[in-house]
Amino acid sequence: MKRVVATVVACVSLVACTPEPVFPMPMTAEAAVEYDSGDALVAYLAQPDATATVCDSHARGPHVDHLDEDMREALVRGLVEGRVAPAKWLACATALLAHAPPAAGVVMLADVGRGYRSLVRDGSFEATPAMQERVAAMQKLYLERSSAIRDAQHELDPLFDDLREAIAKRHLGAIARWYG
């Protein structure tokens, strides 16, 4: 039994400690699209010269043509961790949502909601303007969502309930409550 537990712990440790992929830099939009991964998209967008045009499926030139789980999670993580500038992230997420099926858009907003929650609950949120900018970008994405996504909002209700409870119990600071 001890061997089984040790093996499980070792396997979980390896997965949890797996480093993020490293890509050759600088990266072009074409290379980001060829890698076809959320981590590659984030690596591309993290570059100062990168543009969110790579996220617009109607753009001329190379662009991401789908919003799958890998893309969503990496893009949200890239913003939460501060690797992608909020304005660039917002432009990319907006473009991806504009052409995604409503169901994929709802799932994206749920991922964004979880990222939002992690930022406003972070102990340094109140004193970190960069984190506040990230939350502002997330909030703007939510407020400007399409009506098709708005109609499916019931799937986001648990996140809102959690936020309302944290505000009511004063678990959030003044700035987080203002965004809430």
Side-chain angles (χ1 to χ4, degrees):
M1 180 66 175
K2 287 182 182 179
R3 257 190 203 165
V4 172
V5 171
T7 302
V8 169
V9 169
C11 290
V12 169
S13 296
L14 284 174
V15 170
C17 298
T18 303
E20 292 201 24
V22 176
F23 298 96
M25 300 305 252
M27 183 187 297
T28 64
E30 182 176 10
V33 170
E34 286 176 10
Y35 282 115
D36 191 32
S37 81
D39 288 327
L41 177 61
V42 168
Y44 170 74
L45 292 171
Q47 299 176 118
D49 298 6
T51 69
T53 305
V54 72
C55 303
D56 184 352
S57 64
H58 290 327
R60 294 173 63 193
H63 56 269
V64 174
D65 61 359
H66 60 283
L67 182 59
D68 62 12
E69 180 179 12
D70 174 58
M71 292 288 179
R72 288 189 323 267
E73 289 178 357
L75 195 58
V76 171
R77 189 174 57 251
L79 177 65
V80 169
E81 294 173 357
R83 290 184 289 148
V84 179
K88 196 180 295 183
W89 178 89
L90 178 60
C92 178
T94 300
L96 287 170
L97 284 180
H99 306 294
V106 169
V107 175
M108 172 73 173
L109 286 178
D111 290 345
V112 169
R114 284 185 284 281
Y116 184 104
R117 179 177 51 201
S118 74
L119 286 170
V120 298
R121 287 188 166 180
D122 187 292
S124 58
F125 179 77
E126 296 293 312
T128 311
M131 292 173 83
Q132 296 163 20
E133 287 179 45
R134 294 177 211 149
V135 164
M138 293 172 160
Q139 191 172 60
K140 185 170 179 142
L141 180 72
Y142 175 77
L143 292 173
E144 295 177 357
R145 69 198 183 284
S146 73
S147 58
I149 294 171
R150 194 172 292 119
D151 292 343
Q153 180 173 337
H154 64 280
E155 294 189 32
L156 302 175
D157 287 344
L159 287 170
F160 287 113
D161 293 342
D162 186 45
L163 183 59
R164 284 185 200 99
E165 182 178 341
I167 290 170
K169 291 182 177 179
R170 303 192 63 75
H171 290 166
L172 302 177
I175 295 172
R177 284 193 311 272
W178 183 83
Y179 276 108

